[in-house]
Amino acid sequence: MRLLLISLLLALSTTAQADDSLYRAWGEKPGIRAVMDDFVARLPQHERIGRRFKMTDPQHLASQLTEQLCELAGGPCKYEGPDMASAHEGMELQKADFNALVEVLQAAMQARGIAFADQNRMLAKLAPLHREMLGR
């Protein structure tokens, strides 16, 4: 009986492990940080949304985004920043703003050599945040 219980617990712990393949594909935390540094540096120059980032602390934003994407990708990070609704409250963001943000992110991912499939996997994890960011 004891052997059966131990076997069952081992089987459950193995299947309960998180999938960190996206985290590894992005180069783990240093790779995610490199993409976020690139992304944040591009934001103020973007013709449609750049004005929204002129007064942003780039180091803080890159750090927060790194933690958030690290967690979403299955890494060991724990995002402890504000939820997306609170962080974007009062900004009156529109769908076009969100789309422009994704364009900038795609450029940063491509510049950092993130494989297209892994770009799409991350975008799929970020997509549910769309409504929260737009306050809907």
Side-chain angles (χ1 to χ4, degrees), residues 24-114:
R24 287 182 285 109
W26 271 57
E28 300 182 349
K29 192 169 182 178
I32 294 170
R33 180 59 191 239
V35 175
M36 291 303 96
D37 284 340
D38 188 321
F39 171 65
V40 169
R42 291 170 187 266
L43 288 170
Q45 283 84 43
H46 193 274
E47 70 266 0
R48 293 194 324 263
I49 59 169
R51 64 182 160 64
R52 292 188 177 274
F53 296 93
K54 295 291 184 194
M55 301 302 289
T56 300
D57 176 354
Q59 292 300 316
H60 177 72
L61 181 58
S63 179
Q64 290 285 295
L65 291 171
T66 298
E67 293 299 318
Q68 189 174 34
L69 269 66
C70 176
E71 182 177 347
L72 287 172
C77 307
K78 178 69 177 150
Y79 173 69
E80 295 182 2
D83 63 72
M84 294 298 95
S86 299
H88 298 90
E89 187 175 11
M91 291 185 178
E92 299 179 12
L93 297 174
Q94 302 299 315
K95 188 172 184 174
D97 298 317
F98 184 81
N99 291 342
L101 193 75
V102 171
E103 289 170 16
V104 177
L105 178 56
Q106 287 173 315
M109 291 186 294
Q110 185 173 357
R112 290 293 172 178
I114 303 298

Side-chain angles (χ1 to χ4, degrees), residues 12-26:
L12 288 175
S13 69
T14 302
T15 58
Q17 291 177 347
D19 176 11
D20 68 348
S21 63
L22 183 57
Y23 174 72
R24 287 182 285 109
W26 271 57

Side-chain angles (χ1 to χ4, degrees), residues 21-22 25-26 109 114-123:
S21 63
L22 183 57
W26 271 57
M109 291 186 294
I114 303 298
F116 188 71
D118 295 322
Q119 291 181 32
N120 286 336
R121 288 173 61 201
M122 184 65 82
L123 290 172

